[in-house]
């Protein structure tokens, strides 16, 4: 985390407000970037991506391949010189503001603190200053052109990226690999390394006639998976929400078990209030969760230790 002064944070806030306004008015930021943008969220990111997948799978011979990318230490790997270049030629910063940004990134130092033990200071030559006001916008600008030349649909939420390709013929798999190669080439050029072992491909839509592809990130084969946790939501290759709902049920049950242990006695009316509160907190349809609890016939009234 970067420790900055109050005066510095005030300056950052003023610059951020005007910079974001400029970026949005000029349409500079990639339209498929959902992170750190007003009016966009994890929900809009997921809807944009999976609506496309569902619409295709519902068609006859409709299949989709989705690749989930993992950038290794994304916020720490951004090289300062390249970042300054992008802030000027993509982010539109000029003159005194650009010089201020250059001074802001220059001569930064860091050290590790464990209790009362301190390491020696080391120069910081890469990474956006995490914890600062401007860091998200800097990172947004740095990866803004990652989709350049990519024909598949690409969806971003800060450093979380995923690609989607409609698969109808083996040639579609070949084209998808070309898009992966373009993203890999971008990462090498801009020093943003992908963790290929944590990248996964999910094949959505099943059929004996379905073309299947073997994809690589560089020289590393991308592993296939049946489910992924995407922005907190468990997604299956069938696009069924069953596992996600089951996980919420389990976490809710653990929550209620803790309450059960903590309290000596709990009546039915109090249990209903907690159920309603917890469903609101986790955002699950109340009828589904309550039905599961009723099925298990959990009885709280008259409980004793």
């Amino acid at each position: 985390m970067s420790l900055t002064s109050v005066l510095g944070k005030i300056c950052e806030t003023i610059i951020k407000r005007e910079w974001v306004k400029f970026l949005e008015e000029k349409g500079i930021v990639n339209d498929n970037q959902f992170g750190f943008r007003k009016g966009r969220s994890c929900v809009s990111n997921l809807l944009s991506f999976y609506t496309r997948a569902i619409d295709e799978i519902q068609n006859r011979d409709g299949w989709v391949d989705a690749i989930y990318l993992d950038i290794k230490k994304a916020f720490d790997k951004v090289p300062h010189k390249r970042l300054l270049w992008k802030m000027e030629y993509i982010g539109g910063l000029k003159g005194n503001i650009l010089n201020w940004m250059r001074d802001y990134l220059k001569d930064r130092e860091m050290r590790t603190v464990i209790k009362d033990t301190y390491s020696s200071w080391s120069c910081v030559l890469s990474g956006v200053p995490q914890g600062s006001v401007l860091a998200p916008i800097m990172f947004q600008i740095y990866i803004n052109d990652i989709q350049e030349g990519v024909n598949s649909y690409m969806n971003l939420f800060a450093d979380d990226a995923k690609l989607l390709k409609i698969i109808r013929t083996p040639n579609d798999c070949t084209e998808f690999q070309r898009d992966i190669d373009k993203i890999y080439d971008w990462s090498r050029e801009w020093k943003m390394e992908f963790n290929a072992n944590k990248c996964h491909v999910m094949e959505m839509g099943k059929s004996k006639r379905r073309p299947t592809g073997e994809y690589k990130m560089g020289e590393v084969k991308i592993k296939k998976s049946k489910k992924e946790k995407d922005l907190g939501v468990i997604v299956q290759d069938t696009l069924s929400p069953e596992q996600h709902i089951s996980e919420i049920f389990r976490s809710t049950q653990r929550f209620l078990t803790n309450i059960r242990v903590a309290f000596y006695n709990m009546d039915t009316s109090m249990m209903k209030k907690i159920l309603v509160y917890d469903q609101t907190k986790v955002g699950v349809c109340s009828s589904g969760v309550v039905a599961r609890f009723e099925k298990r016939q959990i009885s709280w009234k008259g409980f004793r230790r």
Side-chain angles (χ1 to χ4, degrees):
M1 296 298 291
S2 297
L3 302 177
T4 55
S5 65
V6 174
L7 182 60
K9 287 185 181 293
I10 293 172
C11 292
E12 286 185 77
T13 303
I14 294 170
I15 292 170
K16 177 188 175 183
R17 183 180 65 238
E18 297 302 320
W19 195 14
V20 169
K21 181 180 178 182
F22 170 79
L23 293 171
E24 294 292 347
E25 287 179 351
K26 298 295 183 180
I28 293 172
V29 180
N30 189 327
D31 193 50
N32 292 334
Q33 172 62 265
F34 289 80
F36 313 125
R37 300 183 71 183
K38 187 177 181 180
R40 301 199 178 197
S41 64
C42 294
V43 174
S44 55
N45 175 288
L46 295 169
L47 286 174
S48 175
F49 191 81
Y50 293 107
T51 297
R52 287 172 166 80
I54 292 169
D55 288 346
E56 180 60 27
I57 289 172
Q58 287 178 339
N59 295 329
R60 187 170 181 267
D61 293 341
W63 307 300
V64 169
D65 281 355
I67 289 184
Y68 299 83
L69 302 174
D70 183 87
I71 303 176
K72 188 184 294 184
K73 297 181 179 179
F75 288 87
D76 296 325
K77 290 282 188 177
V78 178
H80 288 171
K81 289 184 178 180
R82 286 175 168 79
L83 173 60
L84 286 166
W85 187 91
K86 285 200 172 187
M87 287 195 294
E88 180 177 2
Y89 293 101
I90 296 179
L93 298 185
K94 306 290 182 183
N96 290 334
I97 294 295
L98 182 62
N99 291 331
W100 187 90
M101 287 287 195
R102 187 176 288 109
D103 289 339
Y104 180 76
L105 292 172
K106 189 174 67 174
D107 298 330
R108 301 189 74 89
E109 294 184 325
M110 65 178 291
R111 67 177 178 180
T112 302
V113 179
I114 302 176
K115 295 185 178 180
D116 296 327
T117 304
Y118 300 82
S119 69
S120 58
W121 289 99
S122 299
C123 293
V124 179
L125 302 176
S126 66
V128 294
Q130 292 191 52
S132 66
V133 177
L134 286 171
I137 313 304
M138 289 179 177
F139 185 79
Q140 192 180 73
I141 291 298
Y142 195 77
I143 66 167
N144 194 61
D145 59 344
I146 189 174
Q147 195 178 351
E148 198 169 286
V150 175
N151 295 318
S152 305
Y153 177 73
M154 189 172 187
N155 188 296
L156 299 161
F157 190 89
D159 61 330
D160 285 313
K162 46 188 176 280
L163 282 87
L164 183 146
K165 177 72 175 177
I166 296 170
I167 304 295
R168 293 198 176 98
T169 66
N171 188 54
D172 292 325
C173 298
T174 304
E175 290 180 1
F176 201 21
Q177 180 61 60
R178 289 197 200 104
D179 286 338
I180 297 168
D181 292 339
K182 290 174 184 176
I183 293 170
Y184 178 71
D185 291 341
W186 176 93
S187 72
R188 288 170 59 86
E189 180 181 357
W190 295 102
K191 308 298 181 184
M192 296 294 286
E193 184 181 358
F194 282 102
N195 193 338
N197 291 320
K198 290 187 177 180
C199 296
H200 296 127
V201 59
M202 186 185 293
E203 297 175 342
M204 302 176 185
K206 301 298 179 183
S207 172
K208 292 181 179 179
R209 301 189 310 277
R210 188 196 203 285
T212 58
E214 298 290 336
Y215 305 110
K216 289 185 177 181
M217 178 65 72
E219 297 300 319
V220 181
K221 181 180 176 181
I222 300 176
K223 298 175 184 176
K224 295 183 179 182
S225 68
K226 297 288 186 181
K227 66 176 181 179
E228 288 290 323
K229 195 164 189 178
D230 187 9
L231 299 178
V233 176
I234 298 173
V235 180
Q236 298 173 249
D237 57 354
T238 58
L239 293 178
S240 166
E242 181 180 352
Q243 284 196 24
H244 182 69
I245 292 174
S246 296
E247 178 57 33
I248 291 174
F249 169 69
R250 284 192 291 270
S251 64
T252 304
Q253 189 175 32
R254 288 193 295 268
F255 171 78
L256 295 175
T257 301
N258 291 335
I259 294 175
R260 181 179 181 180
V261 171
F263 288 88
Y264 179 78
N265 188 21
M266 184 175 293
D267 59 27
T268 305
S269 61
M270 177 59 72
M271 196 66 246
K272 288 180 178 178
K273 290 178 182 178
I274 293 172
L275 275 172
V276 172
Y277 166 76
D278 199 54
Q279 290 159 33
T280 305
K281 183 182 72 169
V282 298
V284 182
C285 174
S286 60
S287 60
V289 176
V290 172
R292 285 177 177 267
F293 277 108
E294 289 176 348
K295 185 177 180 180
R296 292 178 64 88
Q297 296 180 343
I298 296 176
S299 176
W300 298 89
K301 188 173 182 180
F303 173 77
R304 292 291 186 275
R305 289 184 184 181

